[in-house]
Amino acid sequence: MSTPITFDLEAFADGPPWALFDELRENDPVHWSDERDGSGFWSLTRHADIVSVGRDPAAFTSEMFTNLEEIDDPVRRELRRSMLETDGARHRALRKLLQRDFMPRQVNARFEAFLRGLTRSTLDAALPLSEFDFVREISADFPIRVLARMLDVPVEDTPKLIDWGNQIIGNTAYLEENAKYQDLPFRSPASLEVFAYGDALAGRRRGGTGDDLVSKLVNQLPEDGVPLSPDHFHNYFLLLVVAGNETTRHAISHTMKALIEHPEQLDLLREDPSLIAGAVEEFLRWASPVYHFRRTATRDVTLHGRRIREGDKVVLWYAAGNRDPAVFPDPHRFDVTRTGMDQMAFGGGAHYCLGASLARLELRVMFEELIPRLSTVELAGEVTRVRSNFVNGIERLPVRVS
């Protein structure tokens, strides 16, 4: 390919650049892009390559951070380090602090009945409006209230959590005017508000016997014997607030949009609701709510004839992998009857999403409850998107239902 491609925000203004991903996957599966600051990165767009690199932290580390921003100062790296930016024993120790709470059996036993009641109350409030913003009334409200229960925070605080997540994910992390926030995740001043809120919770829970996620973070010692520093608690708490809300929210919104645009698929699920449990994997593949994560090469590696040098950034485009025809026949077709899928909406390897089972349950319960109530559903205005090349998000989804 003669012209290097830059994955700037404009390429994502109207949604994922599927044609670009297809072109790279076919003709340049290890593609170099220059960045404005003079650096650059390799893009991987084939499913097999993404899986392979994601499972090889010895050669492709997360320790140098997982977004495109370069953080050369080791002090700043530690200030901003979360579980996402650790490998090996420390990553396992941090993950195990909360892993049991997110295991499939635990999630289903503790939350399915609650989720079903919550879903019904959310739909009871939204559907009589007939015309409304699906994101505001359903997608945003639903996952954050689940998270509030797990964190044991008041339901009336959920609007603040939603707003903070919007600011953090919607923030363009690389704008020069945000340089003064360079020590904060996503360079977002909203991070400071999340930290303060988390500190207040931690102060009340420390030394107690609570079973919520905050209590476990402040009262348990990681298995490697290294306690969470205040900065690491901040970043873990922020990760729960943002990742636990934003990704499921956008997956729900994308699924609703897909069902509107493919009414024959909605009819299949309406006629046979037992298909919904299996269709969740197609919902996730289609939505691909996180476009990518980055790794950094720890040594020189040759892949498809391209020389990746030690220190080079390597971007795993999960969205592109989810449309790889080598794995998903006719990948640009939304098909709720697909089976046996190895979709990568949750990443892979040691960093496979901690909340995957909860997200699956939330999607299943939402559409098991929603679809039988819908006689008709259609778009009622322009769909607006989150301005990001990291999160594949829908900001507004106006619908008309009966």
Side-chain angles (χ1 to χ4, degrees):
M1 190 170 295
S2 58
T3 304
I5 294 171
T6 300
F7 286 92
D8 59 21
L9 290 172
E10 295 308 312
F12 297 80
D14 298 320
W18 298 123
L20 171 58
F21 286 145
D22 290 345
E23 181 182 0
L24 292 180
R25 193 188 307 108
E26 179 68 23
N27 300 311
D28 194 8
V30 185
H31 174 79
W32 179 261
S33 290
D34 292 317
E35 294 183 277
R36 288 175 293 175
D37 63 2
S39 62
F41 58 90
W42 297 100
S43 286
L44 304 186
T45 47
R46 289 184 181 173
H47 188 284
D49 295 333
I50 296 168
V51 169
S52 177
V53 168
R55 291 178 177 172
D56 189 3
F60 299 97
T61 183
S62 300
E63 297 275 347
M64 298 303 290
F65 280 64
T66 55
N67 54 30
L68 286 170
E69 182 185 8
E70 290 285 8
I71 305 178
D72 297 323
D73 182 354
V75 174
R76 285 179 53 220
R77 278 203 299 269
E78 285 308 307
L79 281 174
R80 292 179 51 176
R81 189 177 302 282
S82 74
M83 183 171 62
L84 293 179
E85 293 87 22
T86 61
D87 287 322
R90 183 56 175 170
H91 177 262
R92 289 192 296 274
L94 292 174
R95 190 178 179 91
K96 283 185 177 180
L97 281 172
L98 302 182
Q99 187 166 359
R100 187 173 182 275
D101 293 84
F102 290 98
M103 294 177 68
R105 183 177 298 179
Q106 180 84 347
V107 163
N108 290 337
R110 291 186 64 184
F111 293 108
E112 180 160 3
F114 165 73
L115 281 170
R116 212 164 283 282
L118 172 59
T119 307
R120 289 169 181 167
S121 65
T122 298
L123 297 179
D124 286 346
L127 296 181
L129 300 174
S130 298
E131 190 169 317
F132 56 90
D133 176 11
F134 188 87
V135 174
R136 179 182 178 86
E137 302 298 336
I138 295 179
S139 305
D141 181 72
F142 179 65
I144 199 66
R145 289 177 65 186
V146 180
L147 182 67
R149 184 181 177 96
M150 298 184 79
L151 296 172
D152 191 21
V153 302
V155 172
E156 57 267 25
D157 285 355
T158 57
K160 289 192 294 190
L161 300 180
I162 293 172
D163 183 55
W164 289 331
N166 289 344
Q167 291 183 56
I168 290 167
I169 290 298
N171 186 61
T172 303
Y174 313 109
L175 295 178
E176 291 182 3
E177 55 263 38
N178 287 330
K180 64 182 177 180
Y181 301 120
Q182 62 185 358
D183 293 336
L184 299 174
F186 298 96
R187 292 190 179 183
S188 172
S191 300
L192 293 173
E193 297 179 68
V194 176
F195 294 166
Y197 188 83
D199 283 341
L201 292 177
R204 294 195 294 270
R205 311 282 168 78
R206 190 171 283 109
T209 58
D211 195 40
D212 59 278
L213 300 186
V214 175
S215 293
K216 291 182 177 182
L217 287 180
V218 298
N219 294 319
Q220 292 183 157
L221 181 68
E223 68 174 16
D224 62 357
V226 180
L228 286 181
S229 70
D231 290 324
H232 291 170
F233 169 77
H234 285 161
N235 295 333
Y236 208 139
F237 181 75
L238 183 138
L239 183 63
L240 291 170
V241 169
V242 175
N245 169 37
E246 290 284 331
T247 50
T248 307
R249 161 188 174 175
H250 295 311
I252 291 171
S253 298
H254 278 294
T255 298
M256 188 70 263
K257 181 172 179 287
L259 291 171
I260 291 171
E261 294 174 341
H262 302 83
E264 77 288 352
Q265 299 298 306
L266 177 58
D267 287 341
L268 285 174
L269 299 178
R270 185 182 285 117
E271 292 163 8
D272 185 359
S274 69
L275 292 174
I276 294 173
V280 164
E281 298 306 303
E282 178 72 345
F283 297 167
L284 290 162
R285 182 191 76 89
W286 190 260
S288 293
V290 176
Y291 282 126
H292 71 266
F293 273 111
R294 160 240 178 142
R295 300 290 184 262
T296 304
T298 62
R299 58 175 181 262
D300 289 2
V301 177
T302 300
L303 185 61
H304 296 300
R306 306 302 295 270
R307 189 70 165 176
I308 300 173
R309 300 192 180 279
E310 179 182 351
D312 283 356
K313 292 185 287 189
V314 180
V315 176
L316 314 182
W317 289 98
Y318 300 125
N322 271 338
R323 300 292 177 100
D324 189 338
V327 179
F328 309 104
D330 196 3
H332 295 295
R333 178 170 57 89
F334 181 62
D335 181 2
V336 299
T337 66
R338 287 185 194 269
T339 58
M341 285 193 300
D342 186 17
Q343 59 84 13
M344 46 181 44
F346 297 123
H351 285 272
Y352 188 77
C353 176
L354 187 65
S357 295
L358 179 60
R360 285 186 168 103
L361 178 62
E362 289 176 330
L363 279 163
R364 175 171 65 81
V365 170
M366 170 56 69
F367 288 97
E368 284 178 347
E369 294 294 329
L370 174 60
I371 288 173
R373 298 198 190 197
L374 294 177
S375 175
T376 63
V377 56
E378 60 185 1
L379 293 178
E382 181 182 0
V383 177
T384 57
R385 305 182 56 83
V386 175
R387 187 173 183 266
S388 175
N389 58 7
F390 175 60
V391 170
N392 181 19
I394 294 178
E395 193 170 73
R396 186 170 180 272
L397 180 64
V399 297
R400 186 179 299 111
V401 305
S402 65

